[in-house]
Amino acid sequence: MLAVRSGKPVTFSAQALEQAQQIIRRYPEGQKKSALIPILHLAQEQNGGFLSVEAMDYVAEMLDLSPIEVYEVATFYTMFHLKPVGRYVLEVCHTGPCEIKGAEWLLQTLKSKLGVDEGEITPDGLFSIRRVECLAACGYAPMLQCGERYYEFLNTEEKVEALLEHLRQNANT
Amino acid sequence: MGKRLLLEHAHVESIDRLDVYRRHGGYAAVEKALKSMSPAEVVEEVKKSGLRGRGGAGFPTGLKWSFLDKKSGRPRYLVCNADESEPGTFKDRYLMEKLPHLLLEGIIVSSYALESHCAFIYVRGEFRWIIKILERAIEEACAAGWLGKNILGTGFDLDIIVHPGAGAYICGEETALLESLEGKRGLPRIKPPFPAVVGLYGMPTVVNNVETLAATPWIVLNGGDAYASIGIGKSTGTKLISACGNIRKPGVYEIELGLSLEEFLYSDEWCGGMEGAYGLKAVVPGGSSVPILPASLALKTASGQPRLLSYESLAEGGFESGSMLGSGGFIVYDEAQCIVRNTFNFARFYHHESCGQCSPCREGTGWLERILHKLEEGHGTLADIDLLWDVQKKIEGNTICPLGDAAAWPVASAIRHFRHEFEEHVHHPERCLFRRRQAAVPVNALAEPV
Ligand SMILES: Cc1cc2nc3c(=O)[nH]c(=O)nc-3n(C[C@H](O)[C@H](O)[C@H](O)COP(=O)(O)O)c2cc1C
Ligand code: SF4
Ligand code: FES
């Protein structure tokens, strides 16, 4: 997977910097590297939802790591996006228990309602769609994750439409 | 039946807050252990209880604890495995969401038993809201003196750190988890040495599942013998089962081990029976990694005994006619489901999640996915079914960690019990139930959860 150089420097807000320091402090003496994954999450948030090469290099510097140590971790974990994404990433679980409850239907419905394919971004920059593996919501399928939340039992067009509308409203406020 | 040792107070409003949890007897086990028991006594009670790891492997917890190297005097760590990524499994999430203080209490008494002063909770990164719940609970517990320095004036110190993962099933495997916690890729380590000797940061470490640790306060309060008297045989105590698939009432249930599978599936107290008009086709009783059982073998063992939800009964018959309790992820398939499609789906999962270190797993899971895809698409031949069998055989037992086996077993058991469906896909691919259903009805509109 190729990472993207955005050409933009990354800066953490003062609050994010303080959060980063708190994270680093909680690990034992000499184990600063343990802070890497939590800080990559923070960097992704601070960088508009994805990890550019610049963002990863920034994290490397913050933790006294070589850039490659950060790249190899960022590329291993599926929650890290290495390319720009929509403001709302709709991550649909497509694993067995969700599939038997209509995960493929949910994916198709989202694609046709938003007019984009998996991995693309809607022209307004709001949405992208992604398939992910089991999110531990198997009894509440079909479902998707968006940001901090799970949206479950998305089994009718009305519910899907309502969710998209809710997110659009959110984006405006 | 219906004993609840873990979820007794799960429905109490605001039980995730310390004061409410305290009013329902919370933290009494910490008080008892720290003030009136020695660490060795706590280990002894857990040994007597017969508690077995609830993360999937079912290893006796007390025995695991007794392997921990205390003699060398190096720092010791307790790591709580809250990675919960096995398809079909969503019980730890429920427990942490409802009863975060029960988990903390379990971690405190277990750390005391292990004489460890630093514990980590490794939570899958997607559980963002759970991380917040846990962090708030930790703050409350620290402020009230249940955590931190000199707990209850006993001189025992403990810090608990919540650490997020970032999306990788393999990080549920305990040594991959430790690598991930150290800020690396989640590549399982070669064992031995085991974590009890060389674990987190090279120090002696115990890794236990959320549910395992949450069971320890009850054991401390009521004694190991009382715990051992619940359940059946060597399957002592209760187990959380997360039930999903084509049932009326999907959800998380606490059962006394030994409950019959039939009762669990059909009784209104539990799953409430099949959701629609179709009968039972198959059950995967312990998460996607365990062998699938056709309806007849799910309800009764090959020797005609009722199948029970216990480690022993589910395993009865070995791989020929049995399965495993695993993580308690209970997936139910009705007659309208396609076994070939489901097997393909799981193979795709394992291929995606293989860390790539061992060639049998890295390459083999890819082969499984591709052959199953070919069969599923209607381009397969009878020889492909045999090839599938050969490939899974070559993975099983030949890898660093059990993910390889976990990828092989669902394929092996599906061919063993449902070979006719694979053959049908060769001769009449157009009859595939998955395809027909996808085309006709988009999705079953379901009732809301209970
Ligand atoms: C591929 C793989 C994934 C696993 N995922 C989990 C998991 O998500 N949660 C868990 O508790 N154990 C998981 N395990 C089991 C752990 O390796 C380990 O046995 C367990 O955390 C030990 O705790 P216990 O003895 O309390 O069950 C997994 C094992 C393997 C091989
Ligand atoms: S069996 Fe698979 S997941 Fe486990 S170490 Fe080997 S390649 Fe990685
Ligand atoms: S299979 Fe979709 S959440 Fe588990």
Side-chain angles (χ1 to χ4, degrees):
Chain A
M1 209 181 280
L2 280 180
V4 176
R5 205 172 269 286
S6 68
K8 274 186 272 171
V10 178
T11 40
F12 274 31
S13 67
Q15 197 200 351
L17 275 176
E18 172 50 31
Q19 234 176 313
Q21 288 312 316
Q22 264 177 22
I23 291 171
I24 295 169
R25 275 197 300 272
R26 68 189 188 195
Y27 296 96
E29 238 351 270
Q31 304 300 345
K32 211 171 170 183
K33 190 171 178 179
S34 277
L36 179 53
I37 289 177
I39 289 196
L40 280 173
H41 280 300
L42 199 58
Q44 180 158 288
E45 245 168 59
Q46 294 286 306
N47 195 53
F50 86 107
L51 290 171
S52 59
V53 173
E54 288 88 345
M56 292 188 273
D57 291 349
Y58 182 81
V59 170
E61 203 168 308
M62 183 185 283
L63 293 174
D64 301 317
L65 299 171
S66 57
I68 187 70
E69 285 177 278
V70 178
Y71 304 160
E72 61 178 21
V73 166
T75 52
F76 186 82
Y77 297 93
T78 54
M79 285 181 76
F80 297 130
H81 305 308
L82 302 176
K83 280 192 272 180
V85 290
R87 171 148 173 202
Y88 299 110
V89 188
L90 306 174
E91 304 188 276
V92 179
C93 169
H94 73 163
T95 314
C98 279
E99 183 174 87
I100 65 181
K101 290 292 182 175
E104 292 298 328
W105 170 84
L106 177 56
L107 276 158
Q108 289 311 322
T109 305
L110 287 170
K111 282 195 252 183
S112 70
K113 283 197 186 297
L114 295 174
V116 286
D117 215 334
E118 292 158 32
E120 296 172 354
I121 305 174
T122 53
D124 58 8
L126 277 188
F127 297 103
S128 40
I129 305 169
R130 231 181 140 212
R131 288 170 181 267
V132 292
E133 299 294 350
C134 181
L135 291 171
C138 329
Y140 322 126
M143 61 81 62
L144 60 80
Q145 170 163 37
C146 179
E148 304 219 338
R149 280 203 54 189
Y150 281 13
Y151 297 90
E152 299 169 333
F153 294 105
L154 295 174
N155 49 17
T156 63
E157 283 216 35
E158 293 74 48
K159 289 190 203 173
V160 176
E161 193 51 63
L163 168 62
L164 294 176
E165 207 33 56
H166 164 75
L167 293 172
R168 285 192 187 105
Q169 294 289 330
N170 256 10
N172 289 330
T173 53
Chain B
M1 296 290 169
K3 264 207 182 71
R4 297 179 134 214
L5 315 185
L6 296 166
L7 301 185
E8 193 186 344
H9 302 303
H11 293 288
V12 175
E13 177 148 6
S14 302
I15 191 76
D16 59 328
R17 304 313 296 255
L18 179 69
D19 53 337
V20 181
Y21 184 69
R22 283 282 290 146
R23 260 183 267 135
H24 288 83
Y27 286 96
V30 172
E31 194 137 15
K32 179 173 178 188
L34 269 59
K35 287 191 171 160
S36 68
M37 295 169 81
S38 69
E41 281 167 346
V42 178
V43 175
E44 195 47 40
E45 290 306 318
V46 171
K47 268 193 186 163
K48 270 199 260 173
S49 75
L51 174 66
R52 294 164 68 173
R54 303 299 194 218
F59 192 81
T61 306
L63 188 60
K64 183 191 261 188
W65 288 6
S66 67
F67 296 147
L68 186 72
D69 166 24
K70 289 185 176 175
K71 284 189 296 272
S72 68
R74 297 180 297 158
R76 286 171 292 274
Y77 294 105
L78 172 64
V79 178
C80 170
N81 189 340
D83 192 54
E84 187 153 77
S85 318
E86 168 92 355
T89 315
F90 48 102
K91 65 184 178 77
D92 296 337
R93 163 188 168 186
Y94 183 82
L95 200 152
M96 292 187 285
E97 219 169 79
K98 296 283 177 188
L99 297 158
H101 284 289
L102 177 63
L103 176 60
L104 297 189
E105 197 178 358
I107 293 177
I108 300 169
V109 298
S110 303
S111 297
Y112 178 73
L114 298 166
E115 298 171 74
S116 158
H117 302 291
C118 181
F120 290 88
I121 310 178
Y122 183 100
V123 187
R124 65 177 299 171
E126 293 90 342
F127 285 171
R128 293 280 280 273
W129 75 101
I130 289 180
I131 292 174
K132 287 191 175 151
I133 292 174
L134 290 171
E135 282 177 342
R136 185 177 70 182
I138 289 171
E139 255 172 52
E140 285 183 321
C142 279
W146 298 103
L147 271 178
K149 292 258 175 281
N150 193 19
I151 299 171
L152 300 179
T154 59
F156 178 66
D157 305 335
L158 178 67
D159 287 322
I160 302 182
I161 298 155
V162 181
H163 182 98
Y169 167 63
I170 192 58
C171 291
E173 193 280 333
E174 57 185 10
T175 59
L177 185 155
L178 296 176
E179 289 285 304
S180 179
L181 193 40
E182 291 178 5
K184 302 180 214 154
R185 291 183 290 165
L187 305 183
R189 299 174 181 167
I190 294 173
K191 296 190 262 191
F194 289 93
V197 183
V198 182
L200 183 64
Y201 309 132
M203 302 299 167
T205 303
V206 164
V207 182
N208 271 136
N209 172 256
V210 170
E211 187 189 344
T212 312
L213 293 170
T216 58
W218 196 95
I219 295 169
V220 164
L221 280 178
N222 300 278
D225 289 333
Y227 191 86
S229 72
I230 299 164
I232 183 169
K234 288 196 165 138
S235 296
T236 61
T238 61
K239 174 90 189 78
L240 297 182
I241 306 284
S242 57
C244 62
N246 303 119
I247 48 174
R248 269 189 43 232
K249 293 167 46 186
V252 177
Y253 299 102
E254 180 171 8
I255 59 139
E256 182 171 349
L257 284 163
L259 178 69
S260 91
L261 191 149
E262 185 166 4
E263 190 179 343
F264 180 68
L265 177 55
Y266 290 107
S267 152
D268 273 339
E269 193 181 342
W270 319 101
C271 302
M274 305 303 289
E275 65 172 333
Y278 293 102
L280 176 69
K281 183 184 225 174
V283 177
V284 172
S288 61
S289 303
V290 310
I292 191 167
L293 293 173
S296 55
L297 286 173
L299 300 173
K300 288 208 177 358
T301 65
S303 60
Q305 296 300 310
R307 185 76 77 178
L308 310 180
L309 296 175
S310 73
Y311 293 98
E312 292 72 25
S313 177
L314 279 168
E316 196 184 316
F319 283 176
E320 285 303 313
S321 64
S323 183
M324 286 187 283
L325 180 61
S327 60
F330 191 85
I331 314 169
V332 179
Y333 300 86
D334 70 18
E335 280 160 347
Q337 304 307 321
C338 171
I339 298 298
V340 178
R341 174 70 195 190
N342 185 69
T343 312
F344 158 69
N345 184 302
F346 284 165
R348 180 180 67 188
F349 171 82
Y350 290 106
H351 182 212
H352 183 259
E353 300 300 330
S354 166
C355 83
Q357 275 191 109
C358 344
S359 11
C361 172
R362 181 187 61 239
E363 304 302 324
T365 51
W367 277 82
L368 295 180
E369 181 188 345
R370 286 189 299 274
I371 303 166
L372 279 158
H373 189 247
K374 186 176 163 198
L375 281 161
E376 221 274 314
E377 289 280 301
H379 307 305
T381 63
L382 289 178
D384 285 327
I385 306 174
D386 298 324
L387 181 58
L388 207 50
W389 182 267
D390 286 346
V391 173
Q392 65 81 21
K393 264 271 167 263
K394 290 196 166 69
I395 303 174
E396 190 195 5
N398 293 323
T399 57
I400 292 175
C401 92
L403 186 138
D405 302 337
W409 295 339
V411 175
S413 56
I415 299 178
R416 185 176 283 125
H417 301 302
F418 294 97
R419 195 179 182 101
H420 54 280
E421 280 199 29
F422 288 83
E423 290 172 357
E424 175 102 337
H425 273 71
V426 171
H427 300 306
H428 300 286
E430 74 286 356
R431 290 188 198 159
C432 168
L433 292 164
F434 177 76
R435 251 146 237 292
R436 277 168 33 194
R437 194 163 32 84
Q438 282 306 95
V441 229
V443 66
N444 280 330
L446 257 197
E448 293 298 328
V450 270

